Amino acid sequence: MTTPHRQQWFHYHVWVFAVHTAMSLIDAAPRPTRSLDVPTWAQAFGLTRIDKPDPDTIGLLGPAPDAFDRDYAMSTDLARPVIVAHLLIDGVEPSPLLIDGTHRLYRAWREGVPQLPAYLLTVAESRQVQQDRWLGPGRTWRIGPR
């Protein structure tokens, strides 16, 4: 029997992903890791600009520079796989989304590590961990029907 994971959430737009549930799914159905290309993903997440933000640009996704803990990031374990889910958007191939490991990705990019190990969730698993609601203090309402 595995120990339950502490609750951890990843917020993206109107969706919330239960990272702890993703970890439990991975525990229940072990799988090999895949390689995540650090430079590509760090660029996409805006991590390559977080130390020198450009006030004239708007990032597509990623943490706000003032809300990102660089000291914590530099202490993370790069051997621990990140988790990539898939967003299912009608009429489009499923889109990968990093739901766990932004701090590890930042550290790997800063240290020139070319790849990180990653667990890839299937679309079905991603839907199991995706919730259409905001969670947290003052944010516990349902956004709409699933």
Side-chain angles (χ1 to χ4, degrees):
M1 183 172 161
T2 60
T3 306
H5 298 279
R6 72 173 176 81
Q7 286 195 356
Q8 182 180 346
W9 306 94
F10 175 77
H11 296 259
Y12 179 68
H13 191 50
V14 298
W15 299 300
V16 177
F17 294 84
V19 175
H20 54 284
T21 302
M23 292 175 180
S24 294
L25 290 172
I26 293 164
D27 288 347
R31 69 217 51 208
T33 59
R34 308 265 302 267
S35 293
L36 182 119
D37 183 88
V38 169
T40 300
W41 281 78
Q43 175 77 29
F45 254 65
L47 298 176
T48 59
R49 297 180 310 275
I50 202 163
D51 294 328
K52 296 178 187 169
D54 181 348
D56 296 325
T57 62
I58 300 170
L60 179 59
L61 51 102
D66 59 346
F68 188 77
D69 188 340
R70 291 172 189 76
D71 291 334
Y72 169 72
M74 299 310 288
S75 73
T76 57
D77 180 2
L78 298 183
R80 188 172 142 227
V82 299
I83 301 175
V84 176
H86 278 95
L87 289 179
L88 189 56
I89 301 167
D90 291 338
V92 180
E93 287 292 315
S95 300
L97 178 66
L98 182 71
I99 64 166
D100 179 55
T102 304
H103 287 92
R104 281 170 274 157
L105 178 60
Y106 174 79
R107 178 180 177 187
W109 173 75
R110 287 291 307 267
E111 294 181 354
V113 174
Q115 297 179 330
L116 284 175
Y119 288 123
L120 187 61
L121 299 179
T122 66
V123 170
E125 289 171 328
S126 297
R127 285 300 294 153
Q128 288 179 44
V129 304
Q130 179 181 337
Q131 300 190 18
D132 300 322
R133 65 178 81 202
W134 291 105
L135 298 178
R139 299 184 299 179
T140 57
W141 63 89
R142 189 141 180 88
I143 297 299
R146 272 182 106 168

